[in-house]
Structures are given as C-alpha cells and as structure tokens.
Amino acid sequence: MATLTQTLGALLERTTIEDHDEILKACNIALRQSKTDLEAQHIKIVALIKTDRYDDALRVLQEGGNQLKKVAQLEHVYVLYKLGQLEEACKLAKEINHNRGARHVEAQSYYRSEGFEEASRLYTELTGSEAAIENEKNDLRINGGAVDAQLEWNQLGHLVQEKKFRRGDLEAFETAYNAACGCIARGELSQGEVLLKRAKDLCILLDDLPEGDKEAELLPIGVQQVYVLSRLGKVEQAETLASEISIDEIPDLSTRQVAQVNKLVAISSSSNPYLAHRLFHSLVPLPVTHKFFQFQADWKNQCQMVLDLQSSKYTSVTNATAKALANNPSPTASANLNTISVINAAAHAQNQLGKWGLKAMLPLLDQRPNDVGLIATIVQLYILTNNQGSAITVMEAFLKRLEASKIAKDQDIRFAPGLVAVLVSLYSIQGRKLCIISELAKAASYWRHKSKPCPTLLRTAGISLLASQTSEDLATAGEIFDSLYVQDPRDSIAISGYVAAYATTDADKTTSKVEKLTPVARLVADLDTDSLEQAGVPQIISTSIGLKRKGLGDEQTISAKKRVRISRRPKAYNPMKPADPERWLPLKDRSSYRPKGKKGKQKAVASTQGGVSEQGSEALHMVTGGAPKAMNGVISGPSKPKKKKPKK
C-alpha cells in the first residue's frame, strides 16, 4: 500500500498541470490495487474536475462513501455547483467552516440560484477579511459587481451600497462591464452605452489574453450593446452590430440564445415579423446548467408575446396573458406581470391606438379595476389623444380605490414612486401646483416611516414643499431632509434642503449644517459681476402667436395654409398666377361669360345679367330717393287695362 502511494506521488511530482489524463491513468492503476485508497480517489476527483468531467467526479464521490466526501468536501460542493444542484451545494457549503474556498463556492451557488441578497452578504464578508491568494481581491470586486447588477435587475437596488461606478471600475473590462449592467438595470442607458464601449476597448487592448479568449469575452459585450442600442432607438446601429456578431461562436449557451432573440426582435421591427416568429420558435431549449435567470426568462416570454402580436396572433396572446394574470391577483408591483397586462390590453385592442384602442380597453377596466398595467396603458392612450382630463380622472379613481383598501401591500402600491410620478406629471401638464404639493407630501409622509424609503421621492417632495413657503410645509420639508441626512450624511441636497427649510423659521438649527455647505464666496469666485451688469437682463421673446376665436375680437385669426395635392391641381397650374375668384360659379354666372348665337344674345339682353329689370328699377329708385307717383299715401303700381263689358 505504501509502495503504491509513493509511486503515485513520484509520478505526480514529474507531471505538470496539463497532464490530467496521465494523472487519471496513474490513479486508475493505483485503485486497481486498492479500491479504498482515499488519496488516489481524491486525486482522481481533482483530475476529473480539471477535465470538466463533473458527472464522473460525482460518481466517484458517491462510490467512495461518506469517508471520501469528508476528505473532499470542497470538491464535492464544487461538483454539485457545476452540475446545477445549487440547493444541495449551498447546504453542504454551510457545513464547511473556516474555508474561504467554500465561501466562494457558496456565494456562487447562491448567485446562480438567484439568492442575490445572501450572495451579496458573503462577498461583503470575504472583501472585509484578508485575502488568502493572489488576485483574490480583484475577483471579489468583479463578482461583487455582478451581484450588484443582479440586485438592480430584480428590483433590490436599495441593497446596493454604491450605485455610482468608481474610478477603479474603469481599469478592467470585467468591472466596467458589470458597472454597465448596473446602469442598464437602473434605466441609465446612455451611461451604460459609454461603459460598454469602455469595456470593449479595454478587452481589445489586453496583451496577456489569447486571441481566442479575447473573442469569447468580446461577444457578450457586443450582445449587450445590441440591447442598449435597441432600447435607445438606434435601430440601424443595433442591426449592423447584430449582423457582425458570430452567434455560433458564443461559448455560453444562455448568452448565445439572448443574442439570437435580440437579433430576431431587431429584424422583426423592420422586415418580416412572420419569419422572425418562426425562427424564434425554432430555438433549442437550454439545459439546466445554462438556464436563464428569472428576469431573462420573463424577458424572453415577453419577446415571444410581442412577436405573436406582430404576427396578428391576438387570440393566442389574449389566452396566454389572461392565464398568467388570473394566477396572480392585482394590484401588483411586479414589472413582469404589469408588462403582461399591457400586452393583454394590446391584444384586445389588436394593436389599435387612439379612440379605437380605448374603446376596446375600457371594458377591461370593469373586469380588472386595480390592474396597474391596464391603468397605465389607458392613461397613455388618453395622453396620445390629448385628453389629459380623462387621464387624471382614471388615475385618481384608481388611487382612491387603493387608499380605501385595508391590505398593507395595496398601500405600498398606492404610494409607489412610479405611480406618484405619473400623477404628478399629469398635474404639471395642467399647471395644478397645489395638487402636486399635496400628492408629494402624502407620499413622503408614507415612505418616511418605512424601513426601505425611496430617497428620490423624498428629495422631490421636500423641494416642492420648500416652494410653498408656509410654516407647516417648511417644517415637513425640514423633517424630510433631516431623515435623508441621517441615511446619507454626504448628501448635499439633504443638507441644502435642511438649511433652506429652517433658515427663516429656526436659524439656530442650521448652524451645524451651514458649515458643511460650500461657502458663497467660493461659489461666486469665478463670476464677473461688472460684465453681467453691463450685459443686462435677457428678455425671453415668445415665439408662439396667440390665436383668437371667431367673434371675440377684431384681430384676424391666422390659419395655416392647406397644402394642395399635386394630383388635384389643374393641368395648366401656375403658382405665380393668382386664381380666378369666380372659379366656383357656374359658367353662365361669371362676368366673363359671352353667349353665342342670335338667340343667346337676345336671352342675355332680357336676363338680369348686366341689365336692370322693372323690379330692379323700383329698388334702384327706392335706394336713390326717387319714388313713383303716389295717391293718398299709397304707392301706385303699373296701371291695369279696364275690362270690357260683355255684350248683351
């Protein structure tokens, strides 16, 4: 037994890290002599992992029994992680104490199983402790950035400690790519586009990375760029970049399918949607080890429904979305369910907009009165038809229904920052400033007492309350900015708002905060007051012309000239020659009409065209002051001939 172990050890000393197949052969020879050799079994498991034979490694672990599993605990957890058995991998990793490698595998297992909160906690603990191996800090920063991006995608952005990217994130393409994904998840698409370009440039400039590995790293960056360009409306650039990506060369199967779907969606918007629909349904299902994250699976499902809508498959989309909505009661804050609700409304309206779309969607409001996606769609259509009043009515009625609910979750949705922003935007269109202040104040008072407040909403509410200049509103604004300052003492907006709120009512409270603000002398140091005074106050000249209604004034209304189609213009049309003002009259009634023939000329003389009739002569005399002879105050008409007496 000792001789075999020594022989195996001597063989391993002579091998390099690339001789994994030779190591397996030596292990097999040793195990033929002694099947219970734990060292040989352990070495064989490591060699199988190095050659990506995870199924064989798990089989060896199971055949070796509990004793081998205790010796190779870390390898066992890693094999389960690579085979997609994530729950079991997390469970076994927790049992391994004082092992940084186990903590790394545990964090990765939580990451793949979408336990992003636990993964973030583990990476924070590993970052705070001393690194065990070289470049571990760099790996932790890369993996931590990936977890932060996933938290943003899953609406858990409040758990991200630093939302703004640091200068160190721009030094490596991995960190720049993760920072770009975080920006994209937050909707900061322009910033994400810049960071993706930075990540691509850094990857191209790497000298120590082989060309094959470099191409493999550049492909996911390009796929993400296609998505961002499509979202920004740069469709032509997205199509050009999508055609340059070699999809079949992408090693990761999930990333490859994302690239395929992005390309199909880009093609369907400009060419044949039926062809894109057929190609989409020909995609191969992904294995368990390469499955999508949940937000990616939801996104793919939404793309499928959109392609069905573009292919006029309204009935199938209606049935599929109705089934998904029936299993999840409304209202809900889920972005996926609300998007499905929008697609359901579009299917009922058969992609019609304006009044026709509203006519199909308003009956759905009676069936689903608290559906956030449906409400948002109806409000948007009212805005497109320039009917802001109806949009506000629908929105206010929906929020009142939520206020009357006794369910705590409904109250969170009632004061959701997105819905509050929609109502405030509608109020601002009509200039209802008091309604804006009231709505923001109610939302701020609700979220101030929550464990997860929305800083952006609180800042907006505080700033609006400062504009009212009433003592109660100023006090409320001071409390809001004080709570923001407690959350983040470096928040300059919170400090400035706190000082502005109490400057006129209680100046003693602002003493400690004023010292943290930038001095006024420093702010105006670069200003030239003399040049500003000489320049004067600029006057804004309004370019809009006020139009008066008919009958309200003497000013003539200005009407836009109607452009005449070329097909409706006469053959000899000359734009420089004025049109005949009598062109709408019949030919015989025009002043230029000259009859032909003897009878026509006689008829023209007898007609009123150009002449004066007897009745016209009477009217002429009445206008000019003359009158026929009158007897006893009665105007006499033409004399009638006396009738002759009949003969007897």
Side-chain angles (χ1 to χ4, degrees), residues 323-371:
K323 184 177 180 180
L325 294 174
N327 297 331
N328 298 276
S330 58
T332 177
S334 171
N336 177 51
L337 292 175
N338 289 327
T339 304
I340 290 176
S341 176
V342 174
I343 296 173
N344 177 269
H348 277 91
Q350 297 186 358
N351 291 339
Q352 296 289 333
L353 297 176
K355 295 181 179 180
W356 292 104
L358 286 170
K359 186 177 180 180
M361 293 181 193
L362 287 176
L364 298 176
L365 193 57
D366 298 332
Q367 304 173 11
R368 308 198 304 266
N370 294 332
D371 192 329

Side-chain angles (χ1 to χ4, degrees), residues 595-606:
K596 296 180 180 180
K598 185 176 181 181
K599 292 184 178 180
K601 293 179 179 179
Q602 292 177 355
K603 187 181 293 186
V605 172

Side-chain angles (χ1 to χ4, degrees), residues 64 94 97 178 180 191 264 377 389 395 433 435 456-457 464 500 590 612 640:
K94 288 182 178 179
N97 299 322
N178 289 335
Q191 187 66 55
L264 290 177
T377 307
M395 199 70 192
K433 296 182 179 180
C435 294
T456 305
L457 176 62
S464 66
R590 300 182 188 180
V612 180
K640 296 181 180 180

Side-chain angles (χ1 to χ4, degrees), residues 492-512:
S492 59
I493 297 178
I495 299 172
S496 303
Y498 184 87
V499 172
Y502 290 109
T504 57
T505 58
D506 193 353
D508 296 336
K509 291 184 177 181
T510 64
T511 305
S512 59

